[in-house]
């Protein structure tokens, strides 16, 4: 016997150790003439005492009949002689049969002897007919043994001969232990072990034994031999290379089938007996049938109900009543599979329950032992997988939802058939975490519902094992796309703040962020509130910065800040994966950040994973354009295609969901795969709908899930998964449909309190949200927050609402929320309220109601401006403007002016200059004073400058400046130029660098506003009117000296220094001083927003001449 590791064996029962020093157990006289347990200990095979196994009740006493006299030389002819040959040990002796074994341990030989039945009072000799019958049986056993291939685990018969004058069968001894003896020892040991780990180990060992038994039966059937006597007594288990070999002994009842038809008719006996053996093998020690009629001894219960096929298939070959073809296996006295896990219960009950007892078993049939063997192998393979083990080993007694309501439990995030795609992602992850020399990018493309997001989820565990970090965001067609990245970062830093990571790791990340972003990180605090907590920064945010940066420069600056923040997070010990889902709905700003990240040479240990629907992205799509730009920069993008899963993967999925062995659910999975095309989400929703329609149900009688395959095949289905789910939801109870409609109107995610306010008095059922989670419609974080499991599920629920009633339902929900939410909580739920009312706003007739809704939109827009989500802010602000009309300038002047100011600022940042130019007409016409027009003028000038309308920009700025008291000449003559030069130089006489830095801060509103407009003019005049540019610079310097400093003053001094260093002046020393004043003033005022401009002028146009 090979030395193998038995560490996972039951109670460390090393089968080899059972025979060490065990010969004394088998000594003659140690056992009486009844059934002996020693037979099981040694692995000797014999039939059951009552059913004619190795014990032959048909044989009478032997007397003087002539029998073969020669026996193998290594055995003597008597147990009591004094020959020199090796002694024989009697193993068991019962009515009609004795079993002997040679004394040596290696290459031992066994003898089965048919002898006188001691209790029969008949003649001393066998009659010729009985003798012939006895010999025929022994010869038949020899024939079967030699017919089967050598590699089949069966009793190897040497010859048929005689022993002490009686017919005898000589065979190779099998070292091992019978299943029955093994289980008896296990049950004794089980009473002292109770831990879950030990229970799992015990189950695994039994499972390995079951696989071995099914494998041997498969070997028999492959040779068209029906074993016909499969019991625990007739199976010898031997450990071999970490598993077991199951040897079938007692071949006397085996049937050799001459053709496939005969074999098909008779194999059902073996399948039934296999079910009996499995049922006994896996029963628990605490009852559950373990010592019931199914498993006690060799008779009674299922074992006694077994019927055999006649040995002589030619003369006595009538098909018995328990074959598969006749569909009669006899009434069973116990509940098959009682107490077993669902997977095994289905297997056992399918093998045991006859069709005449349960009509619902028609589709669930095992047609071969090989199918059982394959299913047991699947279970044995998955028993090492903790996640799958829960599916295969769970019991229905603990699941009342299954038993009482016959409800399928659909697991979340099932992962099937994606091994190739997963290996590609893992390769990218490995490269990013191990090498980290450059940012890596992979895109996952596929149709909706193919499992793209689930595929990405598979990297979380290996990433966590590497102490990696992950940032996750998901776009939605109905949500604000420019909030997604900021929300993802906010969630990330919230988790970081709550994590147990060491303070050293946090401190290191803070330093990296400070180095990369600098003090400008504060401008991200409104967008990412948790970042302020992480940075432990109490700095007040200057929200007026947006007005200090011209045109869409603020949008560009925001992209840059996001890029530098993300690039500062990863390091060698903490690699980072950024995941953005549904990129087909991404906004230009987020795509710009991705483009910056992938081309940033400083970022390390970073992987970007993006998912998108390839059917919604064409060559002209914004995503395609952005990806092409990245490729043109030399960045390699790995694209991973995700399509439908294969038929085998569908079968594996259904097997897990229904806890059915794969071969039993294959007919159903073939139909489901054909109807769904292998789209995994469609498969799950179809299973749920079939369960609701009772075409899939849990059978109490069969103890397994059943299905009506014929009706399922005839069921007509839409090829559109959304339409199908809508039809499925339409068959749900009306109160649950109402709840789904309300949830669909609340967006991709919502809070339970919002749903309560939206439904008001409407009845949507007890534990509606819990039912939706169980049915796979919604997901929860364990608290009061819920989100749709997939956007198509939300779309399907929204489809329940008739098209003509959707807007009114939105209006109803929005008005309920508006009336029920306290003012203190309105800021939190403002978007839910505004979104719903906006969708039904056309039904608003009362003017006061319109003004109230317009104010809601203003609050939502201003909040988004504060969070720097400018594109989304435009939508809310323009909705508000649409509601108020021109009359509001008189009735609601302040509201209307704020709407127009905020809208013009947002439009300027996003670069929609055409809409902005048209929008400015009304505030410039209706505003009551010049001061109320200033914000509009400022945004208009910025828009004109960014759109290249330089002359119009200059003229508008000059007009505004004149009303502010600053007159700027538009036609610059030589006289005007020299006059301005004299004035600026005179203003700086006697003001060294320190005095300039000590100037007071400018506070005059008009002068501050004038400086803003002069700043707008600076770039425009530099490009389109060079003669006017120095005049603007001179005026800015003079105003600074006279009225105090502001952030724009630093720009003024730097530009003045550049003018001094020009070829016209060559005053490098004073120019260098002005450059130092500009840099120091910028630092003093903390005006980081102007740093690029100041440094570009100082280092690019001044210091090059001095340093």
């Amino acid at each position: 016997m090979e030395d193998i590791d038995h560490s996972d064996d039951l109670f460390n029962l090393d089968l080899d150790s059972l025979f060490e020093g065990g010969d004394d157990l088998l000594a003659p006289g140690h056992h009486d003439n009844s059934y002996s347990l020693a037979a099981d200990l040694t692995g000797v095979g014999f039939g059951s005492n009552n059913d004619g196994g190795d014990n032959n009740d048909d044989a009478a006493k032997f007397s003087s009949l002539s029998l073969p006299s020669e026996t193998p030389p290594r055995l003597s002819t008597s147990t009591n002689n004094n020959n020199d040959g090796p002694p024989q040990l009697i193993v068991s002796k019962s009515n009609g049969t004795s079993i002997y074994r040679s004394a040596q341990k290696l290459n031992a030989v066994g003898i089965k002897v048919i002898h006188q039945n001691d209790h029969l009072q008949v003649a001393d000799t066998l009659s010729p007919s009985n003798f012939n019958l006895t010999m025929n049986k022994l010869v038949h056993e020899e024939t079967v043994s030699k017919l089967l291939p050598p590699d089949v685990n069966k009793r190897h018969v040497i010859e048929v001969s005689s022993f002490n004058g009686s017919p005898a069968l000589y065979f190779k001894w099998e070292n091992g232990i019978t299943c029955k003896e093994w289980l008896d020892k296990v049950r004794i040991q089980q009473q002292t072990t109770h831990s879950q780990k030990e229970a799992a180990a015990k189950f695994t060992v039994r499972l390995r034994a079951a696989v071995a038994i099914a494998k041997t039966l498969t070997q028999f059937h492959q040779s068209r031999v029906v074993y016909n006597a499969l019991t625990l007594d007739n199976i010898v288990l031997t450990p071999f290379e970490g598993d077991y070999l199951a040897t079938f002994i007692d071949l006397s009842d085996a049937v050799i089938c001459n053709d496939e038809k005969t074999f098909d008719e008779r194999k059902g006996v073996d399948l039934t007996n296999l079910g009996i053996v499995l049922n006994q093998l896996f029963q628990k020690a605490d009852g559950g049938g373990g010592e019931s009629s199914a498993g006690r001894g060799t008779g009674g219960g299922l074992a006694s109900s077994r019927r055999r096929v006649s040995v002589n298939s030619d003369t006595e070959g009538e098909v018995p009543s328990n074959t598969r073809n006749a569909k009669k296996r006899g009434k069973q006295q116990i509940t098959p599979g009682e107490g077993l896990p669902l997977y095994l219960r289905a297997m056992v009950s399918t093998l045991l329950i006859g069709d005449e007892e349960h009509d619902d078993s028609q589709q669930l049939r095992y047609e071969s032992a090989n199918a059982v063997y394959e299913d047991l192998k699947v279970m044995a393979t998955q028993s090492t997988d903790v996640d799958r083990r829960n599916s295969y080993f769970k019991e229905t007694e603990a699941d009342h939802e299954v038993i009482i309501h016959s409800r399928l439990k659909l697991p979340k995030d099932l992962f099937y058939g994606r091994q190739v795609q997963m290996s590609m992602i893992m390769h990218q992850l490995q490269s990013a975490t191990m090498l980290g020399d450059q940012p890596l990018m992979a895109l996952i493309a596929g149709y909706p519902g193919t499992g793209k997001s689930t595929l990405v989820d598979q990297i979380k565990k290996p990433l966590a094992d590497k102490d990696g970090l992950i940032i996750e965001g998901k776009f939605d067609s109905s949500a604000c796309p420019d909030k997604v990245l900021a929300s993802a970062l906010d969630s990330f830093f919230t988790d970081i703040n709550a994590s147990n990571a060491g303070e050293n790791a946090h401190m290191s990340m803070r330093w990296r962020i400070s180095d990369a972003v600098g003090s400008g990180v504060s401008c991200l605090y409104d967008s990412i509130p948790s970042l302020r907590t992480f940075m432990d920064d109490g700095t007040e945010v200057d929200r007026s910065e947006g007005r200090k940066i011209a045109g869409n420069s603020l949008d560009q600056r925001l992209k840059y800040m996001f890029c530098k923040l993300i690039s500062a997070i990863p390091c060698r010990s903490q690699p980072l994966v950024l995941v953005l889902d549904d990129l087909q709905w991404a906004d230009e700003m987020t795509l710009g950040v991705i483009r910056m990240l992938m081309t940033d040479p400083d970022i390390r240990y970073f992987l970007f994973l993006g998912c998108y629907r390839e059917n919604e992205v064409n060559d002209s799509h914004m995503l395609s354009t952005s990806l092409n730009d990245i490729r043109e920069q030399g960045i390699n993008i790995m694209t991973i295609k995700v399509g439908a899963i294969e038929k085998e993967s569908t079968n594996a999925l259904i097997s897990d969901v229904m806890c059915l062995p794969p071969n039993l659910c294959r007919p159903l999975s073939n139909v489901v795969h054909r109807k769904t095309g292998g789209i995994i989400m469609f498969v799950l929703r179809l299973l749920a709908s079939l369960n609701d329609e009772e075409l899939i149900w849990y059978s109490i009688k069969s103890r397994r899930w059943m299905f009506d395959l014929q009706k399922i095949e005839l069921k007509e289905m839409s090829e559109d998964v959304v339409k199908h789910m809508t039809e499925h939801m339409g068959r749900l109870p009306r109160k649950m449909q109402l709840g789904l409609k309300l949830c669909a109107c609340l967006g991709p995610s919502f809070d339970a309190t919002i749903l309560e306010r939206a439904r008001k008095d409407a009845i949507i059922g007890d534990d509606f949200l819990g039912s939706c989670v169980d049915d796979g419609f919604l997901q929860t974080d364990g608290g009061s927050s819920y989100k749709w499991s997939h956007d198509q599920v939300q779309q399907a629920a929204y489809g329940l609402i008739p098209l003509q009633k959707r807007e009114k339902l939105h209006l109803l929900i929005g008005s309920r929320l508006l009336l029920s939410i306290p003012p203190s909580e309105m800021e939190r739920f403002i978007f839910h309220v505004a979104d719903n009312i906006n969708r039904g706003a056309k039904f608003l007739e009362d003017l006061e109601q319109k003004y109230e809704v317009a104010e809601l939109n203003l609050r939502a827009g201003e909040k988004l401006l504060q969070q720097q989500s400018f594109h989304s802010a435009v939508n809310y602000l323009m909705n508000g403007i649409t509601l108020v009309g021109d009359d509001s300038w008189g009735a609601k002047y302040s509201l209307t002016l704020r709407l127009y100011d905020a809208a013009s600022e947002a439009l300027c940042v996003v670069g929609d200059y055409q809409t902005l130019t048209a929008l400015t007409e009304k505030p410039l016409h209706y505003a009551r004073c010049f001061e109320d027009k200033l914000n509009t003028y400022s945004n208009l000038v910025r828009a004109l400058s960014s759109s290249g309308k330089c002359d119009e920009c200059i003229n508008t700025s000059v007009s505004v400046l004149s009303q502010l008291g600053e007159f700027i000449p538009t036609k610059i003559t030589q006289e005007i130029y020299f006059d301005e030069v004299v004035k600026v130089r005179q203003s700086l006489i006697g003001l060294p660098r320190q005095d300039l830095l000590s100037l007071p801060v400018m506070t005059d509103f008009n002068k501050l506003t004038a400086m803003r407009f002069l700043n707008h003019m600076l770039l425009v005049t530099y490009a389109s009117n060079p003669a006017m540019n120095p005049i603007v610079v001179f005026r800015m310097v003079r105003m600074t000296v006279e009225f105090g400093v502001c952030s724009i003053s630093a720009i003024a001094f730097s530009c003045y220094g550049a003018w001094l260093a020009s070829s016209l002046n060559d005053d490098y020393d004073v120019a260098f001083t002005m450059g130092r004043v500009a840099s120091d003033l910028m630092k003093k005022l903390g005006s980081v927003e102007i740093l690029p401009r100041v440094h570009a002028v100082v280092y690019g146009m001044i210091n090059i001449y001095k340093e």
Side-chain angles (χ1 to χ4, degrees):
M1 191 71 62
E2 297 184 30
D3 292 333
I4 60 174
D5 181 14
H6 298 289
S7 59
D8 61 342
D9 207 342
L10 274 175
F11 317 109
N12 296 318
L13 284 180
D14 184 348
L15 297 187
D16 290 338
S17 66
L18 294 173
F19 305 104
E20 294 179 0
D23 289 345
D24 58 330
L25 296 175
L26 308 177
H30 184 77
H31 302 287
D32 57 22
N33 290 337
S34 62
Y35 168 73
S36 173
L37 290 179
D40 292 331
L41 277 168
T42 59
V44 176
F46 56 91
S48 61
N49 295 336
N50 299 322
D51 291 333
D54 283 345
N55 178 28
N56 194 330
D57 290 331
D58 294 327
K61 290 183 178 181
F62 285 94
S63 57
S64 60
L65 289 176
S66 175
L67 292 173
S69 59
E70 294 184 1
T71 60
R74 59 187 176 277
L75 289 173
S76 66
T77 59
S78 172
T79 61
N80 298 314
N81 60 31
N82 295 317
N83 294 347
D84 295 334
Q88 304 85 44
L89 306 175
I90 183 167
V91 176
S92 70
K93 183 177 181 181
S94 58
N95 295 335
T97 303
S98 291
I99 301 296
Y100 296 88
R101 171 197 168 190
S102 60
Q104 67 266 30
K105 290 186 178 181
L106 297 177
N107 300 319
V109 174
I111 312 173
K112 180 172 76 171
V113 181
I114 309 299
H115 59 81
Q116 170 183 328
N117 195 331
D118 296 335
H119 72 276
L120 295 178
Q121 302 298 321
V122 293
D124 291 335
T125 60
L126 282 171
S127 67
S129 61
N130 285 338
F131 171 77
N132 290 335
L133 180 60
T134 301
M135 291 300 296
N136 283 343
K137 283 201 169 188
L138 294 179
V139 170
H140 172 75
E141 190 166 354
E142 179 185 28
T143 302
V144 172
S145 176
K146 294 182 177 180
L147 171 70
L148 292 168
D151 60 340
V152 175
N153 301 314
K154 86 286 187 182
R155 169 179 284 173
H156 291 271
V157 176
I158 299 172
E159 64 175 334
V160 176
S161 184
S162 66
F163 183 82
N164 286 345
S166 297
L169 182 78
Y170 291 80
F171 56 90
K172 292 181 180 179
W173 192 264
E174 292 293 338
N175 286 320
I177 183 170
T178 64
C179 278
K180 183 179 183 304
E181 177 64 12
W182 182 53
L183 288 177
D184 288 342
K185 291 181 175 294
V186 166
R187 290 182 180 119
I188 294 173
Q189 296 288 342
Q190 268 186 327
Q191 298 174 4
T192 62
T193 56
H194 304 286
S195 73
Q196 185 175 1
K197 183 177 181 180
E198 289 175 334
K202 300 169 195 172
F203 192 92
T204 302
V205 174
R206 295 187 189 217
L207 192 55
R208 289 163 49 203
V211 171
I213 294 169
K215 179 180 180 180
T216 300
L217 185 60
T218 299
Q219 293 174 334
F220 270 69
H221 285 188
Q222 287 172 345
S223 299
R224 288 212 297 263
V225 174
V226 177
Y227 182 54
N228 208 30
L230 191 62
T231 65
L232 295 176
D233 296 310
N234 288 339
I235 303 170
V236 174
L237 293 176
T238 307
F240 179 73
E241 295 183 353
D243 279 312
Y244 290 114
L245 294 180
T247 302
F248 291 178
I249 57 178
D250 184 10
L251 305 176
S252 59
D253 289 317
V255 177
I256 302 172
C257 300
N258 296 324
D259 55 69
E260 198 69 31
K261 180 180 179 181
T262 304
F263 172 72
D264 288 339
E265 291 173 344
R266 299 183 174 183
K267 66 183 178 182
V269 176
D270 279 354
L271 294 177
T272 299
N273 291 338
L274 179 59
I276 296 171
V277 168
L278 294 178
N279 191 60
Q280 294 169 333
L281 184 63
F282 287 101
Q283 289 298 339
K284 296 180 179 179
D286 57 354
E291 292 296 333
S292 68
S293 58
R296 185 177 292 113
T298 58
L302 292 173
S304 64
S305 70
R306 175 173 51 80
R307 300 166 67 95
R308 290 198 176 105
V309 180
S310 172
V311 171
N312 189 338
S313 61
D314 295 326
T315 60
E316 300 177 11
E318 292 184 12
V319 179
S321 60
N322 63 331
T323 62
R324 284 288 176 106
N325 211 33
K327 298 183 181 179
K328 296 180 180 179
R329 302 189 196 168
K331 299 290 183 179
Q332 311 300 335
Q333 301 301 317
I334 69 165
T335 302
E338 188 71 31
L340 298 185
L342 276 175
Y343 187 96
L344 274 173
R345 176 177 300 175
M347 181 182 293
V348 170
S349 63
T350 300
L351 289 168
L352 293 182
I353 296 178
D355 295 340
E356 77 284 355
E357 294 181 68
H358 298 292
D359 295 334
D360 56 11
S361 62
Q362 290 181 351
Q363 284 89 33
L364 297 183
R365 300 170 60 83
Y366 275 113
E367 299 297 337
S368 69
N370 188 58
V372 182
Y373 171 56
E374 290 176 350
D375 287 346
L376 284 169
K377 280 201 304 181
V378 170
M379 190 175 189
T381 301
Q382 301 297 349
S383 66
T384 59
D385 186 328
V386 176
D387 295 330
R388 294 290 171 84
R389 183 189 298 163
N390 295 333
S391 173
Y392 284 115
F393 297 168
K394 67 182 179 183
E395 299 184 11
T396 55
E397 281 76 12
D399 197 338
H400 299 288
E401 189 72 14
V402 171
I403 294 178
I404 305 301
H405 303 292
S406 189
R407 298 289 294 175
L408 273 177
K409 293 289 187 179
L410 298 178
K412 300 176 179 63
D413 299 331
L414 294 177
F415 183 69
Y416 295 89
R418 304 295 185 207
Q419 285 71 26
V420 174
Q421 293 89 339
M422 189 62 200
S423 65
M424 297 172 69
I425 294 179
M426 289 305 299
H427 173 74
Q428 290 290 84
L429 180 63
Q430 191 77 5
S431 299
T433 56
M434 299 298 293
L435 299 177
D437 55 340
Q438 61 182 348
L440 298 179
M441 183 174 188
L443 295 176
I444 302 173
Y447 279 65
T450 52
K452 301 183 293 295
S453 303
T454 303
L455 178 62
V456 172
D457 288 341
Q458 305 308 306
I459 71 165
K460 291 182 179 179
K461 187 177 185 303
L463 182 63
D465 293 340
K466 299 176 183 292
D467 294 326
L469 306 170
I470 186 168
I471 300 173
E472 296 180 277
K474 180 178 176 62
F475 294 93
D476 189 89
S477 58
S478 60
C480 306
D482 48 358
K483 290 178 58 180
V484 171
L485 185 57
S487 297
L489 286 165
D490 188 49
S491 298
F492 170 77
F493 282 108
T494 298
D495 293 340
I496 290 291
N497 292 332
S499 69
N500 295 323
E503 181 60 28
N504 289 339
H506 286 184
M507 183 62 69
S508 177
M509 188 183 297
R510 289 191 193 102
W511 288 342
R512 294 197 300 270
I513 293 174
S514 296
D515 290 343
V517 186
S519 59
V521 69
S522 61
C523 72
L524 295 173
Y525 289 162
D526 282 330
S527 301
I528 313 171
S530 59
L531 177 60
R532 179 198 290 268
T533 304
F534 177 75
M535 298 300 291
D536 194 19
D537 189 351
T539 305
E540 288 295 326
V541 180
D542 183 5
R543 297 190 176 95
S544 65
E545 287 183 5
R547 295 184 176 89
K548 301 175 185 177
I549 302 177
N552 63 353
S553 298
L554 182 58
D555 198 30
Q556 296 297 326
R557 177 187 178 221
L558 191 60
K559 294 178 189 178
Y560 175 80
M561 299 300 285
F562 274 129
C563 175
K564 300 313 289 183
L565 172 64
I566 295 172
S567 66
I569 294 173
C571 63
R572 184 181 184 85
S573 60
Q574 288 185 306
L576 174 67
V577 177
L578 172 62
V579 178
L580 294 178
D581 200 357
D582 285 327
L583 283 173
Q584 70 276 359
W585 294 320
D587 62 305
E588 193 279 331
M589 193 275 289
T590 305
L591 294 176
V593 173
I594 297 172
R595 187 164 52 247
M596 286 184 175
L597 285 169
M598 300 315 301
T599 56
D600 188 345
D602 296 327
I603 191 169
R604 299 285 188 274
Y605 305 103
F606 174 77
L607 171 63
F608 173 78
L609 287 179
C611 304
Y612 69 93
R613 298 179 181 177
E614 59 179 336
N615 59 311
E616 298 184 21
V617 177
N618 54 29
D619 292 341
S620 61
H621 194 280
M622 185 166 56
L623 176 61
S624 298
T625 304
S626 180
L627 294 178
N628 289 335
D629 291 343
I630 294 174
R631 291 188 180 99
E632 290 175 359
Q633 297 294 321
I635 305 300
N636 181 40
I637 301 176
M638 176 184 287
T639 301
I640 302 171
K641 299 285 187 178
V642 177
I645 58 176
E646 300 291 336
K647 188 179 294 185
E648 282 302 314
S649 298
T650 302
N651 189 56
L653 185 157
I654 295 177
S655 172
D656 281 359
V657 169
M658 299 180 66
C659 294
L660 282 178
N663 279 286
L664 292 185
C665 59
R666 197 173 303 280
L668 174 62
S669 66
N670 289 340
V671 175
V672 170
H673 187 273
R674 186 176 69 250
K675 288 182 175 292
T676 62
I679 303 300
I680 192 166
M681 189 185 73
F682 202 173
V683 171
L684 292 174
R685 300 322 312 165
L686 176 58
L687 290 176
S689 65
L690 293 176
N691 184 214
D692 289 340
E693 298 173 38
E694 298 184 352
L695 297 180
I696 294 177
W697 70 97
Y698 184 78
S699 170
I700 299 295
K701 295 180 180 179
S702 303
R703 294 294 199 275
R704 64 183 181 232
W705 284 97
M706 308 298 300
F707 50 87
D708 192 326
L709 190 63
Q710 184 177 6
K711 290 184 179 179
I712 293 174
E713 285 183 324
L714 295 175
K715 179 179 173 60
E716 294 184 0
M717 291 176 48
S718 170
E719 295 182 357
D720 184 353
V721 61
V722 175
K723 185 176 180 182
H724 168 75
M725 286 191 291
T726 300
E727 293 171 353
H728 169 217
M729 293 175 179
R731 291 188 289 269
L732 296 174
R734 291 180 62 86
K735 57 185 180 181
M736 190 166 187
Q737 289 187 50
L738 176 58
L740 289 171
K741 294 174 184 177
L742 294 174
C743 291
C745 292
L746 294 178
S749 61
F750 56 89
D751 193 275
T753 57
I754 280 290
L755 177 61
E756 284 299 306
R757 291 188 170 105
R759 76 178 185 90
K760 201 176 180 181
D761 299 327
I763 300 175
I764 59 176
D766 298 333
D767 193 24
F768 163 77
L769 291 172
S771 298
C772 287
V773 171
D774 291 340
D775 290 341
F777 298 143
L778 297 175
Q779 295 176 354
T780 179
D781 59 359
S784 62
S785 297
Y786 293 83
K787 66 178 182 179
W788 290 96
S789 58
H790 196 278
D791 58 271
Q792 290 201 312
V793 179
Q794 180 190 4
Q795 188 178 346
Y798 196 67
L800 293 171
I801 310 171
L803 187 62
Q804 66 276 14
K805 295 183 179 180
R806 291 178 183 176
E807 293 173 337
K808 289 186 177 180
L809 179 58
H810 278 293
L811 182 59
L812 175 63
I813 292 173
S815 60
R816 284 180 174 179
L817 296 177
L818 180 61
L819 294 173
S820 61
I821 295 177
S824 59
E825 297 182 22
M826 182 58 70
E827 194 72 13
R828 177 186 173 193
F829 300 114
I830 185 69
F831 298 114
H832 285 294
V833 181
D835 286 343
N836 278 281
I837 295 181
N838 285 341
R839 294 194 180 189
K842 71 177 186 179
F843 295 105
L844 294 174
E845 296 180 355
D846 185 77
L847 195 56
E848 289 300 321
Q849 290 179 345
K850 290 184 179 182
Y851 291 152
E852 189 173 5
V853 175
E855 187 169 0
L856 276 175
N857 279 280
L858 174 62
R859 293 175 63 181
E862 288 180 336
K863 183 175 181 179
L864 289 169
L865 283 177
Q866 181 179 322
Q867 296 175 352
Q868 304 185 71
S869 298
F870 301 105
H871 291 269
S872 300
V874 168
N875 296 330
Y876 287 99
L877 295 169
M878 295 304 292
N879 282 334
I881 289 173
T882 302
L883 286 168
V884 294
D886 291 345
D887 293 339
S888 64
W889 287 102
K892 294 287 183 179
Y893 178 79
S894 177
L895 169 65
T896 308
L897 183 63
R898 287 174 60 197
L899 276 170
Y900 275 89
D901 281 351
S904 63
E905 181 177 340
L907 288 167
C908 182
V909 174
V910 302
D912 189 354
Y913 305 126
Q914 183 176 357
T915 304
L916 172 58
T917 303
L919 190 72
T920 57
E921 295 179 359
K922 290 186 178 180
L924 293 179
H925 176 73
Y926 288 108
R928 295 175 179 175
C929 61
F930 173 72
E931 286 75 13
D932 289 345
K933 298 178 182 180
L934 285 175
N935 281 335
T936 302
Y937 273 126
S938 177
N939 293 320
L940 176 60
V941 168
R942 292 159 66 189
L944 293 172
S945 172
S946 299
S947 58
K949 299 179 180 179
C950 299
D951 292 339
E952 191 174 350
C953 173
I954 293 173
N955 293 333
T956 303
S957 299
V958 169
S959 174
V960 173
L961 285 168
S962 64
Q963 297 183 66
L964 291 170
E966 297 295 331
F967 300 94
I968 305 296
T970 55
K971 293 182 180 181
I972 308 301
T973 63
Q974 189 174 12
E975 182 180 353
I976 293 176
Y977 175 78
F978 283 115
D979 183 56
E980 291 293 332
V981 169
V982 171
K983 289 180 180 179
V984 72
R985 285 183 170 175
Q986 287 178 344
S987 67
L988 292 171
I989 293 175
L991 291 176
R993 183 171 68 89
Q994 289 300 326
D995 288 350
L996 291 174
L997 292 175
S998 301
L999 290 172
V1001 176
M1002 187 181 296
T1003 56
D1004 187 290
F1005 174 77
N1006 285 348
K1007 299 307 176 182
L1008 283 169
T1009 305
M1011 289 289 283
R1012 284 168 49 199
F1013 280 92
L1014 287 169
N1015 185 39
H1016 296 329
M1017 291 180 64
L1018 197 60
L1019 292 175
V1020 179
T1021 55
Y1022 183 83
S1024 64
N1025 194 342
M1028 193 175 184
N1029 182 258
I1031 307 301
V1032 174
V1033 174
F1034 298 158
R1035 185 61 58 90
M1036 295 169 72
V1037 172
R1038 288 168 53 197
M1039 289 180 63
T1040 297
V1041 173
E1042 184 176 356
F1043 299 104
V1045 296
C1046 63
S1047 60
I1048 300 175
S1049 299
I1051 298 175
F1053 283 121
S1054 65
C1055 291
Y1056 181 63
W1059 176 79
L1060 289 172
S1062 66
S1063 59
L1064 294 176
N1065 301 285
D1066 295 335
D1067 194 350
Y1068 301 120
D1069 291 335
V1070 179
F1072 183 71
T1073 301
M1074 290 297 106
R1076 291 184 62 188
V1077 170
S1079 298
D1080 293 344
L1081 185 60
M1082 177 189 67
K1083 294 176 182 178
K1084 179 181 178 180
L1085 298 176
S1087 304
V1088 294
E1089 74 279 359
I1090 61 172
L1091 183 146
R1093 292 179 64 187
V1094 171
H1095 280 188
V1097 176
V1098 171
Y1099 292 102
M1101 304 176 72
I1102 299 175
N1103 289 4
I1104 57 173
Y1105 298 110
K1106 186 71 174 177
E1107 295 179 347

